[in-house]
Amino acid sequence: KVLPACLLLALLFLAPALLAQEERGLIMNLDTGELCLQSVQCKSGCCHHDHILGLTRCAPKAAEFQECSPKTVYGVYYKCPCESGLKCDADKSIVGAITNTNYGVCKDPRE
């Protein structure tokens, strides 16, 4: 458990230097489909996996009427958060967050 935390800290400290060197780095500004550890690494802002043992990859954010997860501090999603301007209408209870069942559907908040 200590190794992943150290790795995450290293990524956070190295990210600005790598971004200054090139537009797309080895660990930041990743494209859809590339392996990731945290959503902050992805251009889309979503690091996604299908199941607990699956590899995490950058994925596009959820469009209107697609399944979504509310934004989380964990940085990895089973369902990506909504695109900009949309709201994830989901269970926001602590139980839903702990059991990872807080999925919803992206909706336009103006409708």
Side-chain angles (χ1 to χ4, degrees):
K1 295 217 175 208
V2 175
L3 181 60
C6 292
L7 183 59
L8 178 60
L9 286 174
L11 290 174
L12 291 173
F13 287 117
L14 291 174
L18 289 174
L19 286 175
Q21 290 176 0
E22 57 183 281
E23 182 180 322
R24 189 190 151 285
L26 293 174
I27 60 172
M28 296 299 290
N29 213 16
L30 302 175
D31 290 320
T32 297
E34 293 188 278
L35 293 173
C36 56
L37 295 173
Q38 292 284 316
S39 290
V40 71
Q41 294 177 269
C42 304
K43 285 181 184 177
S44 67
C46 179
C47 187
H48 171 268
H49 58 97
D50 294 327
H51 52 84
I52 194 76
L53 299 176
L55 294 174
T56 53
R57 296 184 180 275
C58 294
K61 287 195 173 177
E64 191 169 12
F65 306 117
Q66 287 185 332
E67 284 189 303
C68 59
S69 291
K71 290 201 176 202
T72 178
V73 296
Y74 303 124
V76 177
Y77 297 95
Y78 284 99
K79 309 283 183 190
C80 287
C82 299
E83 294 175 340
S84 181
L86 299 176
K87 181 181 176 188
C88 187
D89 187 18
D91 173 17
K92 293 188 173 85
S93 70
I94 190 72
V95 174
I98 292 170
T99 60
N100 200 29
T101 57
N102 58 342
Y103 306 132
V105 175
C106 291
K107 295 183 178 177
D108 188 338
R110 297 170 289 183
E111 292 179 5

